[in-house]
Amino acid sequence: MAGSGKLRQSWNKYNLYNLSRAEAQTTLHKTFYQQKWAAKSITRSYHGETIREKQWNRMFRSSVRSVVPMDYEYLARHDGSEQAAGRGSGADTPPERTVKPYPRTPYLNMVYAPMERRLDTAVFRALFASSTRQARQFVVHGYVKVNGKKMIYPGYQLNPGDMFQVDPDRVMFATGAPKDSTERRAGRRYKTKAANNQKPAADDSSAEAERSESSESRSNPPPAPNAEATQEEQAKKEKETKESLQNLLQRAKELLSTPSTSLTAKRKQDLRAFQRTVRRTLSRPNSLSTDSLDDQLEEITARMTAVSAPLPPPEPAPANTPTDLPTLSTPSLNAQLTTLTPDQLRVLRRALIEARENPVDLSKPYATPWRPREFMSAFAFVPRYLEVHQRVCAAVYIRHPVARPGLAEVPTPFPLETNSLAHNWYLRRR
């Protein structure tokens, strides 16, 4: 379109910028043929950019699916003969028979309706991918199933009632925020450490097998020292400490999400600095210590008390029973729970649940805890012909898109005039 780059089916921020600057194409000093060709060019760059023109010519249909609203009560009372009553006699239409005019139906915005049946386009429309190219990649790599069977053809034509499902990890990667440089570096270190831990284990197993064979031949007892138990205990302790730090990080986020009147600017800065400290500690597993963890917990508890101080004192409640307290990883953390009020325990329990459902995982290819990617809200809509279940990453293609008064169900950023010229271009080629 005039004054901007080509528009694509993508959540990219540059594409959003082009959408904001899009203008209707100029027809001044252009022949009708040039207008049709320009309209075809800019619309095809958005609808099916990965599809060859020859293939689209075979898919194009000049007919358009549409629906017309009809007054069923009026149709039940009359058989149609009243339409000709008094014709030519100058009789006026009674006020009770005046029908409210419906808005115009944008039929020609349905030019690219056949594209919406493609599997890769449907995956993009269901918000399971950030672009049609990424949706196509998911299909080709085998991450998409149609009616329970793997489908590797992006051009598969969906029929009404078909259900397609995408691998949840791929969806979270496509729609989640990408990692920043610090998170990517921590992820590489985590993978390197995991690979190094697996390699000594394999070497130890092979060495143990050789020693067992030699001991059998010599009928000697097997060699004594074995450090696997010590390594397992150390790994278990490190994992527990990591989980405790993740819980503290979620608790700090919970405090920052409170209303601005309950937290001063200085306290918010301290909490953000605390979050950065915990993230750095999580990215360096060797630097974890239980003593510093206890100090951090006391600091968090003090901040919780400071936040709840302006509030009126709560009513006396019965002593906390073991069933009311959330279970933490170390005895020192559980001991600190007895100093919290019921309101603070409720907030802490909710934070622990969120940490369990959306944890920090350095092995994932996207930023964790998961959060939506930037600029997603401008594209986050689902067409009427799809029924999407986001929890299981599945959707049903209910019916083919149709045109109705004032609305065409095929999402398009182009005005009706541009789509009309593109439709005329393909009509001439039939």
Side-chain angles (χ1 to χ4, degrees):
M1 306 185 82
S4 65
K6 288 188 176 182
L7 306 182
R8 306 291 187 184
Q9 289 182 344
S10 172
W11 297 356
N12 190 285
K13 61 181 180 180
Y14 302 107
N15 186 57
L16 182 61
Y17 175 76
N18 291 335
L19 281 170
S20 67
R21 291 174 54 86
E23 300 174 359
Q25 65 169 337
T26 57
T27 58
L28 190 64
H29 306 303
K30 285 185 179 180
T31 64
F32 187 51
Y33 177 88
Q34 291 173 336
Q35 294 176 28
K36 292 189 295 183
W37 190 93
K40 182 270 299 183
S41 176
I42 62 176
T43 54
R44 281 284 285 117
S45 66
Y46 179 84
H47 295 280
E49 58 171 323
T50 59
I51 303 173
R52 298 189 304 273
E53 189 69 11
K54 184 180 293 186
Q55 183 179 357
W56 162 239
N57 284 329
R58 292 195 299 265
M59 295 171 59
F60 175 75
R61 296 291 180 269
S62 58
S63 59
V64 175
R65 291 185 175 90
S66 61
V67 293
V68 179
M70 305 181 73
D71 189 357
Y72 60 90
E73 295 181 352
Y74 179 81
L75 294 176
R77 291 195 303 266
H78 305 88
D79 58 357
S81 60
E82 76 285 351
Q83 298 291 336
R87 180 174 296 175
S89 61
D92 295 332
T93 304
E96 63 273 7
R97 284 178 51 187
T98 302
V99 180
K100 183 180 179 180
Y102 289 100
R104 295 177 58 187
T105 303
Y107 292 102
L108 297 183
N109 278 347
M110 301 286 294
V111 182
Y112 296 100
M115 296 278 193
E116 304 301 311
R117 291 187 61 186
R118 289 176 56 91
L119 180 58
D120 54 356
T121 305
V123 169
F124 171 71
R125 297 297 189 196
L127 306 181
F128 295 152
S130 60
S131 66
T132 50
R133 289 179 178 269
Q134 190 178 53
R136 183 184 182 91
Q137 184 188 52
F138 288 170
V139 177
V140 172
H141 289 188
Y143 294 119
V144 181
K145 293 181 179 180
V146 178
N147 297 329
K149 297 182 179 180
K150 184 186 296 184
M151 177 57 62
I152 61 173
Y153 302 106
Y156 176 78
Q157 298 285 307
L158 294 172
N159 295 313
D162 284 350
M163 185 186 76
F164 57 93
Q165 187 173 6
V166 186
D167 181 50
D169 283 340
R170 295 294 94 193
V171 175
M172 296 183 72
F173 167 71
T175 60
K179 289 184 174 181
D180 56 19
S181 58
T182 304
E183 292 171 333
R184 288 195 297 269
R185 191 180 304 111
R188 289 194 295 268
R189 291 175 179 173
Y190 175 83
K191 291 180 180 178
T192 302
K193 184 177 180 181
N196 293 336
N197 290 338
Q198 291 178 359
K199 187 175 180 180
D203 296 342
D204 292 343
S205 61
S206 60
E208 183 67 25
E210 292 178 358
R211 285 195 297 267
S212 62
E213 291 178 359
S214 60
S215 62
E216 289 177 359
S217 60
R218 300 175 184 175
S219 64
N220 293 329
N226 187 5
E228 291 184 358
T230 306
Q231 292 180 356
E232 290 180 357
E233 292 178 358
Q234 183 178 2
K236 184 177 180 181
K237 183 179 179 181
E238 186 177 275
K239 182 178 179 182
E240 292 176 353
T241 314
K242 273 190 176 182
E243 292 177 352
S244 303
L245 275 176
Q246 291 171 1
N247 294 338
L248 285 175
L249 184 62
Q250 291 295 331
R251 179 69 191 106
K253 291 182 179 179
E254 186 71 25
L255 286 175
L256 283 174
S257 63
T258 55
S260 58
T261 56
S262 60
L263 280 177
T264 62
K266 177 63 177 175
R267 195 167 297 160
K268 285 186 178 181
Q269 292 177 359
D270 295 341
L271 283 175
R272 292 191 181 97
F274 172 75
Q275 284 182 320
R276 290 192 294 269
T277 303
V278 174
R279 290 195 185 98
R280 285 195 298 268
T281 308
L282 281 172
S283 64
R284 297 192 298 270
N286 296 332
S287 64
L288 300 177
S289 61
T290 308
D291 298 336
S292 62
L293 182 62
D294 293 338
D295 298 338
Q296 291 170 348
L297 180 63
E298 292 178 0
E299 182 181 358
I300 285 293
T301 305
R303 296 188 185 281
M304 291 171 59
T305 307
V307 169
S308 59
L311 299 177
E315 298 180 359
N320 296 325
T321 60
T323 58
D324 296 329
L325 301 177
T327 304
L328 295 181
S329 56
T330 61
S332 59
L333 294 178
N334 290 321
Q336 289 288 340
L337 288 177
T338 58
T339 64
L340 303 181
T341 64
D343 292 337
Q344 295 171 350
L345 281 175
R346 192 159 46 249
V347 173
L348 180 59
R349 187 180 293 107
R350 185 166 63 250
L352 292 176
I353 292 174
E354 292 178 358
R356 183 169 60 252
E357 293 179 350
N358 191 12
V360 176
D361 190 351
L362 298 177
S363 64
K364 298 296 184 181
Y366 47 86
T368 54
W370 186 91
R371 57 188 182 274
R373 62 185 301 161
E374 293 181 342
F375 310 107
M376 178 181 175
S377 58
F379 308 95
F381 67 92
V382 178
R384 296 189 178 189
Y385 54 86
L386 292 178
E387 187 69 28
V388 182
H389 196 303
Q390 298 290 352
R391 284 188 173 272
V392 296
C393 300
V396 178
Y397 185 80
I398 302 175
R399 53 176 174 79
H400 300 306
V402 297
R404 59 184 71 248
L407 173 68
E409 292 184 350
V410 175
T412 178
F414 305 104
L416 180 62
E417 293 76 12
T418 303
N419 286 321
S420 302
L421 291 170
H423 186 266
N424 289 332
W425 169 269
Y426 290 110
L427 278 180
R428 144 188 113 72
R429 303 180 66 86
R430 300 298 292 174

